[in-house]
């Protein structure tokens, strides 16, 4: 009840910790993906029912890509884009991959349902393979949990694999 979830778009690159300090926000996680040159969101992004210019997810995977949907009544859902309204009335950020549904791990790197391996050219590499910094949210009837993990400094913080994050 004390947590408010919302999507914020930075039109230019910005450090999240600095933005949080400047705006009195205690906790935040990065959601979704972006392209560097020119800087823009990768995948759909809607804020308050308005679309933000973005780079579409490579076909045919856009409809399958996991998304965070925040309805105007503040309900948060983690669903495939095709299960969300075509024109969301609240916030939507395409992120993924979807890791867990109904308490069961649904992520399967061998299947590539959301096209992260097939669409790796939109990233620097297949982001689902290997150990990297990761962020995820999970939802139950009573809780919303945010997880963030560093992973850029060898021998200090090795990141997580997708199966480890799902677990």
């Amino acid at each position: 009840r004390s947590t408010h979830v919302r999507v914020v778009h930075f039109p230019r690159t910005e450090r999240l910790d600095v933005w949080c300090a400047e705006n009195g926000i205690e906790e935040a996680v990065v959601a979704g993906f972006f392209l560097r040159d020119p800087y823009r969101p990768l995948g759909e992004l809607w804020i308050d029912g308005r679309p933000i210019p973005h780079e579409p997810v490579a076909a045919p995977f856009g409809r399958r890509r996991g998304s965070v949907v925040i309805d105007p009544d503040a309900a948060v859902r983690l669903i495939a884009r095709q299960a969300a309204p075509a024109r969301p009335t609240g916030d939507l950020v395409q992120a993924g991959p979807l890791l867990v549904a109904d308490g069961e791990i649904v992520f399967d790197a061998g299947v590539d349902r959301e096209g992260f391996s097939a669409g790796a050219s939109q990233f620097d590499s297949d982001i689902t393979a290997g150990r990297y910094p990761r962020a995820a949210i999970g939802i139950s009837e009573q809780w919303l949990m945010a997880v963030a993990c560093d992973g850029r400094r060898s021998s200090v913080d090795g990141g997580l694999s997708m199966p480890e994050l799902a677990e």
Side-chain angles (χ1 to χ4, degrees), residues 45-47 49-54 87:
L45 178 61
W46 293 72
I47 298 177
R50 294 186 304 272
I52 305 298
H54 66 280
R87 299 188 57 80

Side-chain angles (χ1 to χ4, degrees), residues 90-166:
D91 298 343
L92 179 145
V93 59
Q94 272 188 307
L98 189 62
L99 301 172
V100 176
D102 298 322
E104 299 293 325
I105 294 175
V106 296
F107 174 77
D108 183 346
V111 175
D112 195 30
R113 182 183 64 230
E114 296 177 55
F116 282 94
S117 297
S121 63
Q122 290 192 294
F123 300 93
D124 296 332
S125 62
D126 178 355
I127 63 154
T128 63
R131 300 172 68 86
Y132 292 102
R134 308 272 187 198
I137 63 171
I139 302 168
S140 74
E141 288 184 25
Q142 297 176 322
W143 302 99
L144 182 137
M145 179 175 59
V147 176
C149 172
D150 280 338
R152 296 270 187 230
R153 300 173 298 169
S154 60
S155 301
V156 176
D157 45 18
L160 292 171
S161 68
M162 285 293 181
E164 290 169 333
L165 184 57

Side-chain angles (χ1 to χ4, degrees), residues 16-30:
L16 184 60
D17 59 338
V18 172
W19 180 88
C20 286
E22 290 173 352
N23 289 277
I25 305 296
E26 289 184 37
E27 301 291 341
V29 295
V30 173

Side-chain angles (χ1 to χ4, degrees), residues 57-65 82 113-115 118-119:
V57 171
F61 300 107
R63 294 177 37 79
R64 299 179 199 166
R65 190 65 53 95
Q82 63 194 6
R113 182 183 64 230
E114 296 177 55

